Amino acid sequence: MKLIEAHNAFFVARRPRKDSPHTTAAYRRDLAGVTAMLADELETPDAEIELAAVSARPLRAAFGAFADTHAKSSVARAWSTWNQFFQFCVADGFAAGNPMGAIGRPRPEPLSPKPLRGEGTPEELLSAIAGGARRARAPWAERDLVVLALGLVAGLRAAEMRALRRSSVVGRPGERRLFVHGKANRERSIPIEPPLERMLASYVDSCDGRFPGLRFTAESPLLLGSDGAGIRRGALDYLVKSCFRWAGCRDRVPAGANLHALRHTFATRLAEDGANAVEIMVLLGHASLNTSQNYIDATGKERRAAAASNRTYQALAELTGQYAAE
């Protein structure tokens, strides 16, 4: 059996798991990246490698070459992907054993939050951007503020922001919530308070005024790029970086955090203001506490109270109050 055939069988077997497109793409990159190194080691084209030839020795050499050009986290993820692949091969009788036990794996570094540094940094950031600090070819303060707020008071990841639709904001006025499609196809509902509701309404109005020739529906992307289509990943990343820069707080963003620093600030402030670990982890959408929808529904009021306790909402209330006055 060819290695590439075993790869294809692996993905067929995973289809009932309903992996997200992002997860599937990551698995394919991990398998393809190490396979390319195996091809060099075995001096055989990728498509011609036999699964039986992938023993511990060439696989160890391939992972060593892969590690030379990839970060520890990438090597660890690739190791996990190949380990799952060989577990599948053994279970289906394609391979006699799993050679991954003989392959070194980077020791995971302890995870630590990376919130924005400085007690008043979130408020300074929001105020600066609301005041037009970010210079752009086509300034759009309403959109920029919504992006920052979704990180600071809802804790959304970049991919979750881009997946939002206009229909993702549900509920009655004063009791709105965001329906979020998270990692690994996990879904969650995040309570939002009136200041963010008003900010979202102002932003949606600005979309209609900015793109009068476009017809938006409930399933249109919530966050738009300069062309009126859903904002792209690179554009979203650049938007947040430029907000930090123009607001004069780039030196208060932990290295490598960028938009994720907003999410970590959200969680850190909730913890500081008394929210417990269960409330925080559920609001963030972590898998370890997403085991029972009944439990989540039962703690809805507590989660809303936890979200409302975020001090950043005070800044949003002041900003949206200004919009209402105008």
Side-chain angles (χ1 to χ4, degrees), residues 61-148:
F63 261 90
F66 183 83
D68 288 342
T69 56
H70 290 76
K72 288 176 65 175
S73 58
S74 298
V75 177
R77 188 193 63 231
W79 190 98
S80 177
T81 298
W82 278 82
N83 188 51
Q84 291 182 63
F85 166 68
F86 272 110
Q87 287 176 344
F88 158 76
C89 289
V90 171
D92 269 34
F94 299 155
N98 183 350
M100 293 305 296
I103 312 303
R105 183 183 188 184
R107 179 176 299 176
E109 297 179 356
L111 298 177
S112 59
K114 294 183 177 180
L116 296 173
R117 291 187 285 265
E119 175 62 23
T121 299
E123 290 75 17
E124 292 178 30
L125 175 63
L126 290 167
S127 295
I129 299 306
R134 181 175 181 250
R135 302 288 183 242
R137 185 178 305 170
W140 196 355
E142 295 89 348
R143 192 266 317 267
D144 299 347
L145 279 170
V146 164
V147 168
L148 296 176

Side-chain angles (χ1 to χ4, degrees), residues 247-305:
C249 58
R250 188 70 190 92
D251 59 340
R252 285 173 270 175
V253 181
N258 199 32
L259 191 149
H260 225 60
L262 305 178
R263 175 176 161 86
H264 284 192
T265 300
F266 162 76
T268 300
R269 285 198 158 189
L270 289 179
E272 292 173 347
D273 292 341
N276 64 46
V278 171
E279 293 164 340
I280 294 171
M281 298 301 280
V282 170
L283 285 166
L284 288 173
H286 286 174
S288 58
L289 291 180
N290 194 27
T291 56
S292 169
Q293 185 62 44
N294 290 331
Y295 176 80
I296 294 174
D297 292 341
T299 60
K301 292 182 180 179
E302 288 77 12
R303 285 191 290 123
R304 176 169 291 280

Side-chain angles (χ1 to χ4, degrees), residues 140 166 200-217 220 224:
W140 196 355
R166 290 194 172 198
L200 285 166
S202 177
Y203 161 67
V204 169
D205 289 343
S206 76
C207 292
D208 297 334
R210 185 171 288 256
F211 306 106
L214 297 181
R215 181 176 176 273
F216 297 110
T217 69
S220 295
L224 303 181

Side-chain angles (χ1 to χ4, degrees), residues 238-251:
Y238 176 78
L239 185 158
V240 175
K241 285 182 178 178
S242 62
C243 283
F244 289 147
R245 184 175 70 252
W246 286 109
C249 58
R250 188 70 190 92
D251 59 340

